[in-house]
Amino acid sequence: MQLVVARIGRAHGIKGEVTVEVRTDEPELRLAPGAVLATDPAATGPLTIATGRVHSGRLLLRFEGVADRTGAEALRNTLLIAEVDPTELPEEEDEYYDHQLMDLDVVLADGTEVGRITEISHLPTQDLFVVERPDGSEVYVPFVSEIVTEIDLEEQRAVIDPPPGLIDDRAEIASSREAAGEEA
């Protein structure tokens, strides 16, 4: 199974280094020197990581055969893809690979069906489940422990406890003006 582990950014310096946007929780494993990665577009790769280092909080990589800024700039926006055993699990207990979460049934704690996970959107602040409802509409569920209370891979389901208004239109509207009027 293939997983996108990074996206190549701009060239750094003149010796072929590039910045990368890391898209894995295990960069030390997936983006280590010697790793051979497939690419998208496929014609760009495969790429073998020659060196890696952190500079000003950003990961910089240099690939074998890329020795100058021109070569590095040609790689910009290329996705780096690692081959992963589908049975492999992340090291941390409460971490999951996207392929493990795709197609899970999403239910409320009482068993009420909400839908099925069709996509996982990785945003800067948090991840979102894109859940397709039985009627074909979509709802976005933040993948945070306060809302996604359980992931059960054996039962192929994600249990959620959504705040009012997240999956229905019964939002509770609290107005400070109404509260002030009640006290008077």
Side-chain angles (χ1 to χ4, degrees):
M1 156 171 279
Q2 296 186 324
L3 295 176
V4 174
V5 293
R7 184 183 65 82
I8 298 175
R10 61 186 188 351
H12 179 85
I14 60 170
K15 295 183 180 178
E17 285 185 312
V18 295
T19 62
V20 291
E21 174 189 312
V22 177
R23 295 190 180 174
T24 176
D25 289 337
E26 303 168 317
E28 64 285 343
L29 174 66
R30 309 278 181 222
L31 300 172
V36 179
L37 302 167
T39 60
D40 181 10
T44 307
L47 294 172
T48 302
I49 297 174
T51 63
R53 66 185 178 103
V54 176
H55 175 73
S56 297
R58 296 211 54 128
L59 180 60
L60 302 178
L61 297 179
R62 193 175 54 73
F63 299 99
E64 290 181 7
V66 179
D68 60 18
R69 185 174 185 87
T70 303
E73 199 59 48
L75 298 175
R76 190 174 198 159
N77 292 322
T78 298
L79 296 177
L80 298 176
I81 303 166
E83 189 66 38
V84 177
D85 180 349
T87 61
E88 180 182 331
L89 298 175
E91 292 178 8
E92 297 294 322
E93 184 178 323
D94 290 336
E95 289 183 359
Y96 303 93
Y97 292 128
D98 286 4
H99 72 272
Q100 294 174 296
L101 301 171
M102 291 297 293
D103 293 323
L104 291 184
D105 293 323
V106 178
V107 298
L108 300 177
D110 66 5
T112 304
E113 179 186 7
V114 175
R116 181 180 56 85
I117 299 172
T118 57
E119 184 181 337
I120 296 149
S121 181
H122 299 282
L123 303 175
T125 55
Q126 67 191 14
D127 295 337
L128 285 177
F129 290 159
V130 178
V131 178
E132 184 178 311
R133 312 261 331 217
D135 65 5
S137 64
E138 290 182 338
V139 64
Y140 300 98
V141 177
F143 187 22
V144 294
S145 60
E146 294 81 15
I147 296 173
V148 180
T149 59
E150 178 186 356
I151 298 289
D152 187 337
L153 295 178
E154 277 188 31
E155 294 293 322
Q156 287 291 290
R157 68 184 190 143
V159 179
I160 65 170
D161 182 16
L166 182 67
I167 61 170
D168 56 32
D169 55 7
R170 294 186 303 255
E172 294 175 8
I173 301 172
S175 168
S176 58
R177 201 175 296 178
E178 287 175 18
E182 293 172 5
E183 292 175 7

